[in-house]
Amino acid sequence: MKKEMLYEGKAKKVFATEDPNLCIVDYKDDATAFNGLKKGSIVGKGVVNNRLTNHFMRLLDKEGIPTHFVEELSERETLVKRVTIIPLEVIVRNIAAGSLAKRLGLEEGHVMSRPVIEYCYKDDSLGDPMVNDYHILAMNIATAEELNTISGYSLKINEYLRDYLLKHGIVLVDFKLEFGKLPDGTIVLADEISPDTCRFWDSESNEKLDKDRFRRDLGGVEEAYQEVYRRILGEGN
Ligand code: TMP
């Protein structure tokens, strides 16, 4: 089914298929941080991220969020709709952490009084700089209507996942989304939703259960990914 490789990113490979409208995503265990400056591997990450992403995409589809998900093919491979990625990282934050805490002098853990959306322009050579609505419209990255759809979906995804994860003992601190466009212009959720792209804290202890363990050399990285997997996809769930 897999044909030529179309793209290799830091955490995934994307392959063409016989159907020009579909491609296959293959999740790797490779991990990077700080725009590729820090490199490593998180054993089993590809499986966790593939299966968790697909689980979240199925749930979100039912909630009325269109996604690129088609079918899980194996523990690391998924068939998805081929999209043109909109070059934006859409970050939603409920609790101050990471770059927001640093930039605004907020203590990590400070609860924001409402969700915050930030956009970064996806360009590795520039280090994914933050942009606002005006930049996005003036650079024709998205139209006003598309941006409205993207922000609306992002807030809805936040509300749904925040409640869902809390039921599994996980606080959704913040996360990053990417959207793509189908040939007919429909905007769909693409990329992944995983401990690589979200901050997940244990709801009792605030222990970090995500890639910050790798970024910050906290140890227990594999264990954290497995713990999120167990809480969400383990037996009895
Ligand atoms: P930040 O606090 O470092 O800006 O990260 C915000 C959220 O976005 C956090 O959940 C991690 C996620 N993220 C990515 O998925 N990819 C990235 O390249 C970066 C910098 C952050």
Side-chain angles (χ1 to χ4, degrees):
M1 244 202 162
K2 262 181 181 170
K3 290 178 73 180
E4 80 275 10
M5 186 164 77
L6 298 171
Y7 170 80
E8 178 162 12
K10 297 183 192 112
K12 301 186 281 297
K13 292 177 186 170
V14 181
F15 295 88
T17 67
E18 293 93 60
D19 185 334
N21 293 315
L22 298 173
C23 46
I24 292 173
V25 181
D26 190 339
Y27 286 74
K28 307 189 280 187
D29 284 352
D30 299 354
T32 65
F34 315 117
N35 200 14
L37 278 178
K38 181 182 174 105
K39 288 192 179 68
S41 171
I42 301 172
V43 178
K45 172 171 87 80
V47 176
V48 170
N49 288 2
N50 180 43
R51 297 217 48 222
L52 275 177
T53 295
N54 294 341
H55 179 67
F56 291 138
M57 295 240 179
R58 285 189 200 100
L59 291 172
L60 291 169
D61 230 0
K62 286 195 199 132
E63 293 299 307
I65 307 286
T67 78
H68 73 164
F69 174 76
V70 177
E71 187 189 353
E72 189 166 291
L73 300 175
S74 73
E75 57 180 15
R76 288 177 184 273
E77 295 165 310
T78 294
L79 189 66
V80 298
K81 291 178 187 160
R82 194 162 173 174
V83 300
T84 310
I85 287 285
I86 297 166
L88 287 177
E89 297 199 338
V90 182
I91 295 165
V92 184
R93 301 178 184 269
N94 298 304
I95 296 178
S99 70
L100 177 78
K102 198 169 167 193
R103 182 167 7 100
L104 297 183
L106 296 171
E107 199 171 326
E108 195 157 81
H110 170 88
V111 179
M112 307 305 285
S113 66
R114 48 181 278 173
V116 172
I117 296 191
E118 294 171 352
Y119 303 106
C120 293
Y121 176 49
K122 257 173 80 71
D123 185 322
D124 279 342
S125 67
L126 298 173
D128 300 336
M130 192 187 283
V131 289
N132 66 25
D133 305 41
Y134 287 86
H135 300 110
I136 294 167
L137 298 180
M139 290 172 70
N140 299 313
I141 296 168
T143 65
E145 196 190 344
E146 287 167 349
L147 198 53
N148 204 28
T149 302
I150 288 170
S151 58
Y153 285 165
S154 299
L155 291 173
K156 196 169 164 190
I157 292 167
N158 181 46
E159 280 192 20
Y160 179 80
L161 288 183
R162 213 171 42 178
D163 290 352
Y164 178 84
L165 288 161
L166 202 52
K167 289 184 191 135
H168 294 80
I170 294 170
V171 174
L172 181 60
V173 173
D174 58 32
F175 58 101
K176 185 265 300 181
L177 300 172
E178 294 185 24
F179 293 88
K181 249 198 277 191
L182 298 178
D184 71 358
T186 308
I187 305 253
V188 299
L189 178 65
D191 197 50
E192 66 180 280
I193 301 179
S194 73
D196 270 19
T197 62
C198 303
R199 284 197 172 94
F200 293 143
W201 291 358
D202 178 89
S203 59
E204 302 259 303
S205 65
N206 278 348
E207 186 193 352
K208 296 184 198 317
L209 298 173
D210 56 59
K211 195 176 165 190
D212 269 350
R213 302 204 74 83
F214 169 80
R215 295 188 188 101
R216 303 180 188 187
D217 295 320
L218 299 176
V221 185
E222 276 86 3
E223 291 80 358
Y225 278 72
Q226 294 301 328
E227 180 60 19
V228 173
Y229 183 91
R230 190 191 65 74
R231 289 190 194 185
I232 296 180
L233 292 167
E235 271 175 59
N237 282 301

